[in-house]
Amino acid sequence: SLQQRPDEGELLFARASVLFDWGRLREAHDGFLQAEAVGVKRTSLDLNLAWSNLLRGSLLEAECYARSALASDPHSAALLFAAGTIFQATGCLEEAIPAFEAVLALGSAPTECLVNIAACKLEQRAFAEAEHLARRAIAIEPNRAAGWVHLGKALARQDHLDA
């Protein structure tokens, strides 16, 4: 137990993971940092630190951990999606889009990726591309609001409100 072995990295990591799953972000984040401090080195730790930093609003730290996680396994859909999300949040759209496209190529999270790429395209003022991506997302999941929101934005920016 942690009471008997307070510096046991694997126990610290496991406890932090449970806290993260329970939504207790501050405690989870602290636990992940403690596990890192005692020498735990694994991709899942970097991934959890990336997500917890993003959710806490620490974007630069999130990006650093996302890059570290992605470097260890550049073909993982979960890591690519996390990196894409964090790159998008930090404004690194030129890196976010290929990350989401790679997730799509792996056959994972198609609607979520299409919606996120559409959001990036809207930020880049590539409204026709955003429209196309939003329509693809809607075709897959017509009841998902995000696709419709992005489609509306793309159409409005192109003055195509009757489409």
Side-chain angles (χ1 to χ4, degrees):
S1 82
L2 273 175
Q3 290 176 340
Q4 296 167 338
R5 299 182 347 217
D7 290 337
E8 173 58 43
E10 293 303 319
L11 291 175
L12 290 166
F13 177 77
R15 180 178 182 274
S17 296
V18 170
L19 291 169
F20 187 84
D21 289 343
W22 289 350
R24 292 170 59 178
L25 273 182
R26 185 177 317 150
E27 294 166 284
H29 180 75
D30 291 344
F32 290 134
L33 289 175
Q34 289 171 348
E36 182 182 48
V38 297
V40 174
K41 298 220 183 298
R42 62 165 62 166
T43 303
S44 56
L45 177 60
D46 286 339
L47 177 62
N48 281 305
L49 280 165
W51 280 121
S52 63
N53 275 300
L54 176 68
L55 294 170
R56 296 173 69 244
S58 300
L59 298 181
L60 295 177
E61 290 86 354
E63 184 179 342
C64 179
Y65 282 109
R67 288 183 189 284
S68 177
L70 193 56
S72 68
D73 189 359
H75 303 292
S76 163
L79 297 178
L80 285 161
F81 185 81
T85 302
I86 291 165
F87 294 155
Q88 183 179 5
T90 59
C92 299
L93 304 180
E94 297 301 323
E95 292 181 273
I97 293 169
F100 290 129
E101 288 172 341
V103 175
L104 277 173
L106 293 169
S108 297
T111 306
E112 194 66 35
C113 288
L114 291 168
V115 165
N116 286 339
I117 297 168
C120 291
K121 294 296 182 177
L122 284 168
E123 286 187 52
Q124 293 176 328
R125 307 182 63 80
F127 304 123
E129 290 179 68
E131 175 187 351
H132 173 71
L133 291 159
R135 288 186 188 279
R136 283 181 57 197
I138 291 166
I140 296 169
E141 250 183 280
N143 294 327
R144 183 117 190 274
W148 291 101
V149 168
H150 293 324
L151 177 60
K153 289 178 182 179
L155 291 172
R157 298 300 292 228
Q158 297 175 85
D159 293 324
H160 294 288
L161 296 178
D162 58 349

